[in-house]
Every structure is written in C-alpha cells, then in structure tokens.
Amino acid sequence: DNKLSWHDIFNLPKNKKIILYNGRITPIGRFVTEIVLAAQNFDDDVCLVLSGPHNGNIEFIKILNSLDIKNKIFVYDKLVDDKTRNMLINSADIGLAFYDNLHINNELTILSSDKIATYFRSNLPIITFDYQNYKVFFDKYICGITINDFTQINDAINKIFSNYDEF
C-alpha cells in the first residue's frame, strides 16, 4: 500500500514538522494571510502546508508567496479523492482551523466543521481561536489549543510538540 505524504509531495525532510491549513485558500474569513505571516516565525524544523482550492485567485496565491520570505509555506491546490486527502492529512502534525466571530455559527463550529472533523479523524491536535465551546471541548478531551491572536501560534505549536503524545 503506497502511502503519500506532504513530505513526498514537497520533497521535505522526514523530520520536518507539518502545520496544516486544510480548506479554501481565500483572502476572506479564514485568516490565511495571517497564518502565512505567523509562519514566518515558525521554528526551522516546522513548515506550513496550505491545502485546498483557491477558486482561481492566482493573485492571492502570488501575494501569499511574496509574504513567505522564509520559504515556510507550501501550497497544494489539487483536488484529490477522499482516500488521498485522508492520507495527506494523516501525514501532517497539527491542524489549523480559524473562523471569524462575525456570526455566532462560526463560534459554534467545533462539532460541525468538516475541517475539524477531518483533523479529529486523523488524530491531529488542533489550534484555533479561543471561543468558549472550543476551550471547553479542548479542556475535556485535550485535543487542541486555543489562542487569542496569531502572536500566540508559535507558543501553541511548541506546547503541542513538547507533549505531543498527550494530544
């Protein structure tokens, strides 16, 4: 059984840790720009994979690439079948899921988000915003960390990696 991984696709060293954003690569509502900027401060052995459709917004991808001054991000926009998608997600180390708080529904996504459900199926620890229902869930099940803003993402990543088996 051939296993496909982000390491294979992007020719990354096997010890490179993968932080995954899986979903629409859009400038609106998912904080992709902020994630790319925060990734510039990731430790040397950590990179960011953005996986998902950009709906033809090549200009936004160019902007993201221009912001990636430390070559920390890798973009994968191919549509793949579910088996391949799950295999790739399984090869990541941490999943990112950020939703704005403009609508109450976005704060209640912990049990309804396909992105989060997919991360859970792959046993990936999750980093997301500090919404009350996420915090309660993560405190009970120890499966992720919440942050208030992107200046805290490195600390969250390091906390997860320092105790990865607990998540």
Side-chain angles (χ1 to χ4, degrees):
D1 196 31
N2 229 354
K3 291 210 179 221
L4 187 61
S5 74
W6 296 120
H7 297 88
D8 298 331
I9 287 174
F10 295 114
N11 198 25
L12 299 170
K14 293 295 180 197
N15 65 339
K16 184 71 84 169
K17 296 173 182 144
I18 307 286
I19 310 302
L20 177 64
Y21 167 86
N22 183 64
R24 278 187 331 131
I25 304 171
T26 175
I28 300 166
R30 297 295 185 255
F31 301 94
V32 176
T33 304
E34 292 84 349
I35 293 168
V36 167
L37 290 171
Q40 302 312 297
N41 297 313
F42 286 178
D43 290 347
D44 289 342
D45 63 340
V46 178
C47 69
L48 171 69
V49 170
L50 302 174
S51 173
H54 53 69
N55 298 335
N57 191 345
I58 301 300
E59 284 307 309
F60 183 56
I61 300 301
K62 287 180 183 175
I63 290 168
L64 295 177
N65 284 326
S66 73
L67 296 174
D68 183 31
I69 54 175
K70 295 189 178 175
N71 297 317
K72 290 287 191 176
I73 70 162
F74 299 88
V75 177
Y76 188 78
D77 61 359
K78 294 180 178 67
L79 293 176
V80 295
D81 59 52
D82 282 345
K83 181 181 178 187
T84 303
R85 176 179 176 238
N86 291 335
M87 205 180 303
L88 289 171
I89 290 170
N90 279 329
S91 74
D93 297 290
I94 295 174
L96 303 179
F98 296 104
Y99 299 95
D100 65 44
N101 63 354
L102 300 177
H103 306 288
I104 188 68
N105 186 54
N106 286 348
E107 293 184 42
L108 302 173
T109 54
I110 186 74
L111 297 177
S112 63
S113 163
D114 177 63
K115 179 188 333 252
I116 291 173
T118 302
Y119 293 156
F120 283 158
R121 277 194 305 275
S122 295
N123 293 317
L124 291 187
I126 297 170
I127 299 173
T128 189
F129 284 139
D130 191 14
Y131 298 147
Q132 183 60 30
N133 65 328
Y134 286 81
K135 188 131 186 71
V136 168
F137 195 86
F138 290 171
D139 285 349
K140 184 173 183 179
Y141 296 105
I142 310 175
C143 56
I145 292 180
T146 61
I147 62 173
N148 293 308
D149 61 60
F150 289 100
T151 63
Q152 299 174 323
I153 199 167
N154 277 337
D155 288 341
I157 290 169
N158 290 332
K159 185 174 181 181
I160 289 170
F161 284 135
S162 71
N163 216 356
Y164 197 81
D165 291 339
E166 295 294 315
F167 287 88

